Amino acid sequence: MSDAAQPTAAEVRAAAEAVKAALDRHLEAVERRSGDDDPAVYEAFNALAAAAEAYDERLYDRYDEVTPFEIPGADDSLPPYAGPEEPHALSVLIRRDYAVVEPQRLLAQAQRIADLENDEEGSDATAAVGVSTHAALGVLFGEYEPDEIGSRHKEFGLEEGDSTLWVSAAEELPEPGEWLNAPFEQADPERIVCRFDVSAVFDDELDDDLEEQDA
């Protein structure tokens, strides 16, 4: 790179200040987050990643130095976007995995829901979930929204596994009932606007990095 194309010292300093501001905004978003999938946190994360990358590039171009940290991009695993520039419809695809670690707690919670519904209907019959995990899960997911189950999973004897959320762009909404038989079959990675993953493997990688730094 020629000297004429190099960023000025002032531009490097401005990029550093942008990183500081992005760090503050990210921390504020985390402190105010409404749940595990709060979009404000992800937006602040992406802004911080972009600011850090810009600073790293200017620092290297000007001083031939790099930063000691790296913020992974949110969409590193996605192919180049090939969807509409101005989407008029969105599909939100969500997968969350759970392990049933306390079946008795799950059954008890499902029985409580069934008993309450029975009382509200004024029936003298005793609603019974029995010992069927299938029946208990049907009662649980029929009563609560997925986000509420996600925030209260321990109450229901569940343990969180990996989760992912994809926001996919489309020109228009599909016809009613068009995809109900195979809801995830037509997911096109090239139309994903943004993707957010949660996994314990990320925590393991962070622990490994910290151990290497301490060594």
Side-chain angles (χ1 to χ4, degrees):
M1 178 181 292
S2 66
D3 291 341
Q6 289 181 354
T8 65
E11 288 174 334
V12 178
R13 173 63 61 180
E17 294 299 326
V19 173
K20 296 175 187 177
L23 276 169
D24 287 338
R25 287 193 295 270
H26 181 259
L27 178 57
E28 291 172 359
V30 169
E31 291 173 337
R32 297 196 306 265
R33 69 180 178 184
S34 58
D36 292 339
D37 298 325
D38 190 333
V41 175
Y42 291 116
E43 291 174 6
F45 173 90
N46 291 334
L48 176 57
E53 183 178 2
Y55 171 62
D56 202 58
E57 290 178 356
R58 286 169 174 76
L59 185 71
Y60 181 79
D61 291 343
R62 178 69 185 183
Y63 299 111
D64 198 25
E65 291 287 348
V66 295
T67 57
F69 55 86
E70 179 181 357
I71 300 177
D75 299 328
D76 286 347
S77 61
L78 297 178
Y81 178 71
E85 291 185 6
E86 296 185 6
H88 299 289
L90 297 173
S91 293
V92 180
L93 310 179
I94 302 174
R95 172 174 173 170
R96 292 172 176 164
D97 288 352
Y98 296 97
V100 181
V101 292
E102 296 183 74
Q104 293 306 314
R105 179 182 290 272
L106 172 64
L107 292 167
Q109 290 282 11
Q111 185 64 61
R112 181 183 63 80
I113 295 170
D115 290 343
L116 287 173
E117 290 180 348
N118 193 60
D119 291 342
E120 290 175 358
E121 293 172 359
S123 173
D124 294 331
T126 301
V129 176
V131 295
S132 169
T133 300
H134 290 163
L137 290 171
V139 171
L140 179 67
F141 281 88
E143 177 69 15
Y144 297 111
E145 294 290 334
D147 286 344
E148 185 167 3
I149 293 175
S151 63
R152 300 174 56 187
H153 61 277
K154 292 182 180 179
E155 295 180 36
F156 306 126
L158 304 177
E159 181 179 277
E160 286 183 309
D162 288 356
S163 67
T164 188
L165 183 151
W166 293 13
V167 179
S168 178
E171 297 286 358
E172 58 186 18
L173 285 176
E175 293 295 324
E178 180 178 329
W179 50 257
L180 291 179
N181 290 333
F184 303 109
E185 189 176 66
Q186 298 179 358
D188 184 353
E190 293 188 350
R191 286 178 171 260
I192 302 300
V193 177
C194 51
R195 171 179 175 172
F196 308 113
D197 299 322
V198 177
S199 175
V201 71
F202 300 143
D203 297 332
D204 294 339
E205 291 174 356
L206 178 59
D207 291 340
D208 291 341
D209 292 340
L210 291 175
E211 289 175 2
E212 290 177 2
Q213 292 176 11
D214 293 338

